[in-house]
Amino acid sequence: MGGAAVRRYTSGMKIAVLLTRHRRLLALCGLSACAHLLVLELVAQRAGAPASAPAAGEALRLRLAPAAAPAAEPPAKPSARPPVQPLRQTEAARPADAVPSQPDRAAATAPAAPPSSAPATVNAAAAPAPDGIPLMQMPGRYRVRMPEPVRLSYALTRQEPGAAPLAAGSATLDWRSDGEHYVLSLDGVLGALRSEGGSSDAGIAPHFVQAQPDAVGAQDRASVLMQLAGIGLAEPDQIRGQVQNELRIVVAGADGAAVARYQVMGQEELQTALGAMEAWRLAQVVPAGQERIEVWLAPGHGWLPVQIRLIRADGSAATQTLTRIEPGAPQ
């Protein structure tokens, strides 16, 4: 055997020995390759076979699939602790504009008035009268200004239902005041009345012979006439702006105190011995079958009562109408 043949034989033997020794490794490599191919095939089947390419000249078609809605979050588990309840608002914790002002003590005995019948009050110190005379304020109700001293004379008439009025003499109203104290004498359709007292932030403040009514701004049967005049003097719109509404004042008499309700009927032209006068008519509101009072206040004459009428339950009436105005004397 030549040298070349020997070398070929020797190389063949080495390869045979090598394959014999590493046949297990080769088998493992083959199995691994088959496993990888099997995995790739499974993935391809799950993803779906690739779409075939469109034929030449065919338009490419696309379809937009709607986005999947996000998965709803699971509801939150209720807390084991109870929710914190808000603190109740106390009187001291309320804002200043939410705390109601102290009500007028007269409101305890008087029914609630319509909103328009109780005009908003204005601080008297912030709005002084043009002539320097101080204004007084009824808390939560009306502004009042004390009338100047005056003496009024009236012609008195009486009238039965269906008959003409008949002259029945004269009547007087004598108001004396120094701005702080007053004396009022009245002799007319309401009888012979006298009132004395002073002034307060609620207006005229009578001195009551009997127990004083438990109401701020209470008047007696005589002083209520000048209190109405003082309301018009302090702020005319407290009367002019209340047409068909009411002014309410606590009035004390022999039978006790009650709320006197005066409905503003409007402005009228009143014929007097001094000529025609524009006056605002106020009619007292009372239950059926009771006597009532009507008052005419003249803005051109200091809102004084230029006419007073008492209408009795039987329909008869007694009226006193102004005939003279004279300066009064101080108290």
Side-chain angles (χ1 to χ4, degrees):
M1 183 178 296
V6 172
R7 287 193 296 272
R8 287 195 297 270
Y9 176 81
T10 302
S11 297
M13 290 300 292
K14 289 181 178 180
I15 292 173
V17 172
L18 181 62
L19 291 175
T20 301
R21 291 180 179 179
H22 295 284
R23 60 184 179 183
R24 291 183 178 179
L25 179 61
L26 292 175
L28 291 175
C29 289
L31 291 175
S32 177
C34 292
H36 280 79
L37 292 174
L38 179 61
V39 170
L40 292 176
E41 181 66 19
L42 291 175
V43 171
Q45 290 181 358
R46 290 187 178 183
S52 58
E58 181 180 357
L60 182 64
R61 297 178 181 179
L62 298 178
R63 186 180 67 177
L64 298 179
E73 297 183 1
K77 295 182 179 180
S79 175
R81 299 178 59 185
V84 179
Q85 298 295 331
L87 296 177
R88 294 183 61 187
Q89 189 178 41
T90 62
E91 193 75 17
R94 294 180 186 175
D97 58 352
V99 178
S101 59
Q102 182 177 2
D104 187 356
R105 295 172 66 187
T109 58
S116 59
S117 67
T121 57
V122 180
N123 190 336
D131 54 8
I133 298 177
L135 302 181
M136 292 168 292
Q137 177 179 332
M138 180 180 293
R141 187 57 68 170
Y142 310 107
R143 295 173 63 199
V144 183
R145 175 178 164 188
M146 289 282 278
E148 293 290 327
V150 68
R151 179 178 174 83
L152 304 179
S153 299
Y154 303 87
L156 181 61
T157 61
R158 301 189 185 278
Q159 184 177 11
E160 297 296 328
L166 300 175
S170 62
T172 57
L173 185 155
D174 187 15
W175 169 260
R176 301 184 181 189
S177 173
D178 61 3
E180 295 183 359
H181 304 88
Y182 77 90
V183 174
L184 172 61
S185 298
L186 183 66
D187 188 4
V189 298
L190 302 181
L193 302 175
R194 181 180 174 88
S195 177
E196 297 182 21
S199 62
S200 69
D201 60 350
I204 298 172
H207 296 159
F208 294 95
V209 177
Q210 300 174 350
Q212 182 173 355
D214 187 20
V216 176
Q219 304 297 312
D220 57 36
R221 295 183 65 221
S223 66
V224 66
L225 297 173
M226 302 308 287
Q227 179 82 345
L228 290 171
I231 291 173
L233 277 173
E235 180 51 63
D237 281 344
Q238 292 181 116
I239 295 178
R240 294 185 308 200
Q242 301 302 308
V243 177
Q244 298 305 315
N245 289 319
E246 298 175 359
L247 304 177
R248 298 187 176 190
I249 301 175
V250 176
V251 177
D255 299 331
V259 176
R261 301 162 52 196
Y262 293 91
Q263 185 174 10
V264 181
M265 306 303 294
Q267 193 172 21
E268 300 178 0
E269 185 177 81
L270 185 65
Q271 299 299 324
T272 73
L274 301 179
M277 295 183 179
E278 294 296 327
W280 286 82
R281 178 186 169 203
L282 277 61
Q284 188 179 13
V285 180
V286 299
Q290 294 186 11
E291 66 180 25
R292 60 188 178 91
I293 301 171
E294 294 184 350
V295 182
W296 283 257
L297 305 175
H301 296 277
W303 289 87
L304 292 171
V306 293
Q307 182 166 279
I308 305 170
R309 176 175 294 158
L310 175 65
I311 304 175
R312 298 185 176 88
D314 62 2
S316 62
T319 306
Q320 59 186 67
T321 305
L322 184 69
T323 59
R324 183 183 298 180
I325 300 177
E326 301 173 278
Q331 186 270 341

